[in-house]
Amino acid sequence: MFISPNWPVPKNIKAFCTTRKGGESKRPFDSFNLATHVEDDLNTVLQNRQLLQEVAHLPSTPIWLNQQHTDRAISLVADSEFTQPPIADASWAQTPDVVCVVMTADCLPILITDMDGTCVAAIHAGWKGLADRIVSKTIKDLPVEPEKLMAWVGPAISQQHFEVGQDVFDAFIAKDMKHKAYFEIKEQAENKYLADLPGLVTSELNALGVNDVYQSGLCSYDDEEHFYSYRRDGKTGRMASLIWIEKPTE
């Protein structure tokens, strides 16, 4: 039901990614869909979210975002500060027990924390958000030097399955010619490429000074049993990647 990141974080940092298993949703959202915007039955999604809260022993209600492939990252202070999901594709917090969360079904879920366990962030990055520097903008917002941060890249579509057109290639090359290394030509005559999103985000994080980047190595497209994939299925559910600072016990 849950996947734990393979990274050496402080003990007070809690993080995991959900799979599609263990919930109540019916096909094609079977079964642990956590998204309310994909035409799944709303009551069932809310049941799944309640199950997530209980099984994962979350300290507070996750602050769900209205993700629209923006370059917006917001700072979170309390789980009660929003009456509806804010439009953003990343969130970060320094307050203990405030749960940052992003949803994905092929896009990159990126979890961030620092070596002292004082700050956490969750980023949703599809190719558009990545090209628009959502990762860079989030890292620069954090009150911690990039050299003290570490990142985990969760299940996302792998290069062999992520075909893009000339427009996507051009968008990344316009930002940095070094990005060319993360595109493999698939059909030169039709200007088709295979894009390496995990590689692109690792390169960006490294350039920012975040040297400790851990990859899950899991492909959402490949593993139909465990993961939702928009590219593979079209109408489908969403996984969630969550991170928070655990409040010290008295």
Side-chain angles (χ1 to χ4, degrees):
M1 191 180 210
F2 302 142
I3 293 170
S4 297
N6 51 325
W7 60 353
V9 295
K11 290 183 179 180
N12 68 319
I13 300 301
K14 305 301 176 183
F16 66 91
C17 173
T18 66
T19 66
R20 69 183 300 167
K21 289 191 164 188
E24 301 294 331
S25 294
K26 308 303 180 186
R27 287 192 172 191
F29 310 105
D30 48 319
S31 62
F32 198 37
N33 169 47
L34 295 163
T36 59
H37 67 287
V38 295
E39 299 182 15
D40 192 1
D41 177 71
L42 179 59
N43 289 329
T44 303
V45 176
L46 296 179
Q47 287 179 35
N48 287 342
R49 288 188 175 186
Q50 182 60 36
L51 183 62
L52 171 68
Q53 186 98 18
E54 294 169 359
V55 175
H57 304 290
L58 299 182
S60 62
T61 303
I63 301 178
W64 304 94
L65 305 176
N66 181 350
Q67 299 172 192
Q68 296 186 11
H69 297 277
T70 68
D71 62 356
R72 185 169 185 240
I74 59 172
S75 171
L76 306 178
V77 177
D79 65 340
S80 58
E81 63 183 304
F82 299 103
T83 56
Q84 59 185 7
I87 296 175
D89 283 82
S91 63
W92 61 274
Q94 289 182 286
T95 306
D97 289 351
V98 170
V99 182
C100 300
V101 60
V102 290
M103 292 181 291
T104 57
D106 282 337
C107 292
L108 297 164
I110 307 154
L111 300 181
I112 308 283
T113 189
D114 65 307
M115 298 172 186
D116 295 323
T118 66
C119 183
V120 294
I123 305 170
H124 159 257
W127 76 261
K128 188 176 187 301
L130 199 56
D132 287 342
R133 307 281 192 179
I134 178 66
V135 175
S136 295
K137 291 175 181 178
T138 304
I139 296 299
K140 290 174 181 177
D141 277 353
L142 301 182
V144 180
E145 296 176 4
E147 293 76 14
K148 295 182 179 180
L149 297 173
M150 66 180 77
W152 180 71
V153 182
I157 193 167
S158 60
Q159 183 174 17
Q160 64 178 327
H161 296 298
F162 192 47
E163 179 184 308
V164 298
Q166 190 69 40
D167 58 331
V168 177
F169 177 81
D170 291 343
F172 280 94
I173 299 306
K175 302 287 184 182
D176 192 333
M177 281 298 296
K178 293 179 182 177
H179 288 156
K180 188 175 181 180
Y182 300 97
F183 289 85
E184 177 185 324
I185 297 175
K186 183 180 181 183
E187 297 177 34
Q188 189 158 9
E190 297 184 16
N191 297 322
K192 299 293 185 182
Y193 302 85
L194 296 175
D196 180 6
L197 289 182
L200 282 163
V201 77
T202 299
S203 173
E204 183 170 355
L205 286 165
N206 289 166
L208 290 165
V210 182
N211 297 312
D212 294 332
V213 181
Y214 299 85
Q215 296 278 355
S216 68
L218 299 170
C219 175
S220 52
Y221 188 103
D222 255 345
D223 192 344
E224 185 174 0
E225 179 183 356
H226 293 96
F227 303 124
Y228 297 113
S229 169
Y230 183 79
R231 274 291 179 108
R232 183 188 63 228
D233 301 323
K235 195 170 186 178
T236 191
R238 298 292 187 272
M239 292 89 69
S241 295
L242 307 92
I243 188 167
W244 69 96
I245 303 168
E246 187 174 58
K247 184 181 294 183
T249 54
E250 297 180 0

